[in-house]
Amino acid sequence: MSVRIEKALKGEMIDAETTVHGWVRTRRDTGSFSFVEVNDGSCLGNLQVIADNSLSNYDEEIKKLTAGCAVSVSGTLRESPAKGQKVELHAAKLEVIGWADPEEYPLQKKRHSFEFLREISHLRPRTNALGAVARVRSRLSWSVHEFFRERGFFQVHTPIITTSDCEGAGEMFTIAAESTGAKNRDSDGQQRDFFGKKAGLTVSGQLQAEVYALSLGNVYTFGPTFRAENSHTSRHLSEFWMIEPEMAFCDLQGNMRLAEDMLKYLLQDILGSCGEDMQLFDRFIEKGLLGKLQSVVDTDFGHLTYSEAIEALQKSKKSFEFPVSWGVDLQAEHERYLTEQVYGKPLIVTDYPEEIKPFYMRVNDDGKTVAAMDILVPGIGEIIGGSQREERYDTLRSRMLDAGVDIDEHGWYLDLRKYGSVPHSGFGLGFERLVQYATGMANIREVIPFPRTPGFAPC
Ligand code: 4AD
Ligand code: MG
């Protein structure tokens, strides 16, 4: 019977005959046998294999094993006399499945920089840190679905190709069919818009999620989103994943509650279920991470309005690169100062000026601000952006006109305010920013398997 190393290492299978498959991390020879450390990706730990020199391929193969070689090992699991591990596998048979030339294999025993590893994104999940990130990311994704399932939300698959720029920021990648066929060309030979109008990759699934919220009640979409912004920061990607719940009959208060509950639920879950990987981050990536995350789970988030945020920033003696006055958008430096220095915990900032937020946000009674909410966390800044949506037909229509949104193209969105319109709200949680926060990784490029940033999309 073959097992994953995670199971073998638990120590519940002592004396069992078993087979494991994995990749060699290191080999060390003694007089009469070799220690071969094997990792199969199921967990952080390696299984120590004891390969005796009486094995038939000992001299020919086992003694030539190096990092990266794939092996299949059958034998008996025994209690290990060594410190730091419960179990070792005494090999009765060790088969080499795939060799890795040590002259060429880029992952050597020393520690590699994350910048270097980014250039070998096809091999970096074989390292301890990136393997741990991949497992935590997978668990978080699973946990997102669990969170919504427990609360009766339906998942909606919103389109990746879209004709509306939800955020109105003009940061869409446009798409074209690269076909030379006559059908895709006008009579003058010009490439024809494949969908009959300009289309692009979605920046957010929100507008379509609203459609389903106004039929099914509570829904969420969790998919890839794309932004053609020329940002070279440790928090921006050109392709990232976003979790976007949308709730009918729900105001900004309910929206904020869901967002806070969700962040706490997800962090609590990985603290409980990804212990070993999380300890690695706590030791090597961000000291004190576990305590920090536990305190986020246990503490109420801070609440303040945008106007209060501006006041707090102006009162501070700090000199910011971007000057602060009522009406400016909060920059990362402002967000981080508030959440890290002033409050020292996650913050929910509400009621931003109407001019700096997208057309779909509900206008407050003051006529100047909208029912927006951003959640800011220490070390990252904005992790969630959301709002109550404008449900009043006339107000929405005039906001769309002001924002230059094509009314004819968005009749469907206005229709939702014509036929049984209700207050509704939602938000977007940047999945990579969540993984970054949860693992303490300094750069967002380390928390997505294949990062895409301006000028960078290797595999
Ligand atoms: O604040 P944003 O732009 O909000 C929306 O797109 C709304 N339509 C969401 C909604 O209400 N349904 O983006 C939401 C979140 C941000 O708070 C941030 O966490 C993440 O998405 N985000 C990015 N993450 C990585 N790289 C980028 N370039 C990002 N831009 C936004
Ligand atoms: Mg935002």
Side-chain angles (χ1 to χ4, degrees), residues 164-421:
S164 31
D165 178 2
C166 173
E167 295 307 291
E171 288 166 347
M172 267 170 95
F173 289 100
T174 52
I175 54 170
E178 206 176 88
S179 163
T180 47
K183 276 196 200 143
N184 286 325
R185 300 206 167 257
D186 287 328
S187 49
D188 60 2
Q190 287 293 311
Q191 188 86 35
R192 184 178 296 157
D193 279 332
F194 191 88
F195 297 101
K197 55 184 158 188
K198 205 171 143 219
L201 300 177
T202 186
V203 297
S204 157
Q206 177 198 323
L207 303 186
Q208 291 91 349
E210 283 185 58
V211 169
Y212 272 75
L214 295 174
S215 294
L216 303 191
N218 292 343
V219 301
Y220 70 104
T221 174
F222 183 0
T225 49
F226 308 85
R227 306 247 167 130
E229 54 189 331
N230 203 17
S231 297
H232 299 261
T233 79
S234 58
R235 310 174 317 132
H236 287 90
L237 291 163
S238 309
E239 174 179 297
F240 63 99
W241 288 65
M242 200 174 3
I243 298 141
E244 297 182 272
E246 192 68 35
M247 294 165 285
F249 307 100
C250 177
D251 62 10
L252 193 68
Q253 294 300 321
N255 201 22
M256 291 191 286
R257 267 198 306 277
L258 185 83
E260 182 169 343
D261 286 353
M262 180 170 169
L263 281 177
K264 289 179 169 171
Y265 178 99
L266 298 174
L267 297 177
Q268 175 90 72
D269 177 65
I270 50 159
L271 284 171
S273 64
C274 300
E276 195 188 32
D277 288 328
M278 294 303 290
Q279 275 160 21
L280 173 99
F281 299 129
D282 188 71
R283 277 182 69 195
F284 297 113
I285 304 293
E286 183 183 334
K287 296 251 179 304
L289 176 74
L290 297 180
K292 179 189 91 175
L293 296 180
Q294 191 58 54
S295 90
V296 171
V297 171
D298 297 337
T299 316
D300 289 340
F301 291 6
H303 282 251
L304 77 168
T305 62
Y306 167 89
S307 302
E308 288 164 345
I310 293 294
E311 213 175 297
L313 291 166
Q314 284 174 331
K315 265 204 220 134
S316 80
K317 300 280 171 288
K318 210 171 143 52
S319 70
F320 294 106
E321 189 189 338
F322 294 91
V324 178
S325 62
W326 201 96
V328 302
D329 205 356
L330 295 183
Q331 301 295 325
E333 56 169 345
H334 308 134
E335 296 174 340
R336 293 190 54 175
Y337 176 77
L338 289 168
T339 180
E340 289 165 20
Q341 310 290 322
V342 183
Y343 284 80
K345 63 177 181 177
L347 275 189
I348 311 186
V349 183
T350 56
D351 307 299
Y352 285 73
E354 181 226 290
E355 293 94 62
I356 59 170
K357 288 292 186 187
F359 66 90
Y360 55 72
M361 294 193 179
R362 191 180 197 278
V363 180
N364 287 327
D365 291 345
D366 62 13
K368 289 194 314 199
T369 59
V370 287
M373 64 112 180
D374 277 6
I375 299 192
L376 318 178
V377 294
I380 305 260
E382 180 190 336
I383 194 165
I384 282 181
S387 73
Q388 184 168 337
R389 318 307 187 188
E390 184 55 77
E391 86 283 13
R392 298 161 296 188
Y393 184 93
D394 293 333
T395 316
L396 179 63
R397 190 168 188 280
S398 78
R399 287 265 284 153
M400 288 168 80
L401 286 170
D402 289 349
V405 177
D406 188 331
I407 295 283
D408 295 333
E409 288 292 337
H410 291 82
W412 59 274
Y413 191 66
L414 277 164
D415 268 2
L416 299 172
R417 279 69 181 171
K418 219 157 78 178
Y419 309 126
S421 186

Side-chain angles (χ1 to χ4, degrees), residues 148-166:
F148 287 122
R149 198 182 60 82
E150 282 175 11
R151 285 161 185 74
F153 281 61
F154 296 104
Q155 184 187 8
V156 179
H157 294 109
T158 50
I160 289 169
I161 298 174
T162 172
T163 52
S164 31
D165 178 2
C166 173

